[in-house]
Every structure is written in C-alpha cells, then in structure tokens.
Amino acid sequence: MQVSDARLATARTNMVDGQIRPNKVTDIAILAAFLDVPRESFAPTRFRDVAYVDETLSFGGGRYLTEPAVLARLLQAALPRPTERALIIGGGSGYSAAILARLVSSVIVVEQDAALLAQARMQLAHVTNVTLRQGALVDGAADAAPFDVILIDGAVEQIPAALDAQLAESGRLVTVRRENGTLGRAILRERDGGALSTRVLFDAGTPVLPGFERGQEFSL
C-alpha cells in the first residue's frame, strides 16, 4: 500500500527532527531546505515509501542516494552562502542539487548516468538556478570553474586533482573519503592562499562512487 503524501510529509519532519538535528546540524537555512524538499521525489521508485530512513538508498549500478544526516552535515561544513557558486559531482537524481540550490546563487551538477540525469532534469525542471551536465564525474566542470563550494555526492578513495583545481580561493570541498574498505570519514578541504588543507569531520558509511577508486591522477 502506497504511503500518503501527508504521512510522507510527517516522515520528512521526523527526518529533520530525529536524524539531522541530533547530528549537530544547526544551520537554519539547511534545516529549512531539508524540510522543504520531498526526498521521496528523488529516491529510487521502489524506496519511495521509505525515503526518510537514515541510510543510503540504491539506484543500482553502484549509485546511491546519500544518507540525509551525512548530506546535511557535509553541507553545513561547506558553509554555503547566497552569493556563491557550487558544483555537485555525482548529483544522482537531483536531491542534493534541490537542497543546495536553496543555499547558493547557482549550482552546476555533473552526472554521467543518463537515466539518473533524466530523472534529475524532470525533478528540477522548476529550479532555475541549477544547470545539469552529462559528463565524467572525475572531470568536473573546468570550463565553469572556479567554484566556492564543491560537493562530491558520494565517497571517494581519493580526490581527483582536476576537482582540486576547480576550487576557488577560500573555497570548500566536502565529501567522504574511504580507503581500503574501511569506514569512511567525511572531510572538508579548503583553499587558502593557494594551498589546500584537509580536515576530518566525522565517520560515515557512504559507498564509493564508481570511478573514484585510487589512481595516480588523484591527490591526497
């Protein structure tokens, strides 16, 4: 039996109050965005009725919808501002873009999966400050760089040097770094005076995005 829209709305409020707030997310704009955006619209169809569980949801092919609390904490760490430009790598069906679009001036999403990109285009048709591109995730969007905020929406074994290069001065990149099958760690990467620094934020079990396994072209 399909869950009603009213019950899903209640589940969304419970997600914010029971998963996101207790995980130290206090930014009012971020909390409001998670309350506004219907996660069930972006979830894999078979998981629509359980869209607000505190776990990843599989699209298949090694692609997932990131856990709500992990996404919220990453966005809070990125300190998005209304005048800034953001890049999302692996935006999937568009959920993270729908959230981040409420927090910054413009968002570019790079997605290589054609089916996920088609779903994102449908769900984000009314969002005027999001641009969707199909392309290799590891390449980013160099022609539109630099970006103030970069979200890699999934885990990586290492961060591609090409994405580091697209981070603006004082820019922030957030993702989950996961190596050798160990538990992932969310990280904040910042550019200051041209130099990059990395800070570990919290543990996260987010799966690695296909194509982001360790390689010689990646940086620490």
Side-chain angles (χ1 to χ4, degrees), residues 75-90:
L75 292 179
Q76 180 167 264
L79 295 173
R81 301 180 180 99
T83 58
E84 293 187 326
R85 302 173 66 244
L87 171 67
I88 298 178
I89 300 298

Side-chain angles (χ1 to χ4, degrees), residues 89-159:
I89 300 298
S93 63
Y95 181 65
S96 57
I99 297 288
L100 192 51
R102 286 163 163 76
L103 307 172
V104 297
S105 175
S106 64
V107 180
I108 291 179
V109 178
V110 176
E111 176 52 64
Q112 63 190 21
D113 185 291
L116 289 177
L117 191 65
Q119 184 176 347
R121 288 192 190 283
M122 179 177 65
Q123 297 298 337
L124 297 171
H126 64 291
V127 183
T128 59
N129 63 334
V130 174
T131 301
L132 298 164
R133 297 185 176 190
Q134 185 168 13
L137 302 184
V138 296
D139 292 340
D143 63 311
F147 297 95
D148 304 295
V149 172
I150 298 178
L151 166 68
I152 304 177
D153 195 359
V156 302
E157 291 191 359
Q158 292 293 325
I159 298 170

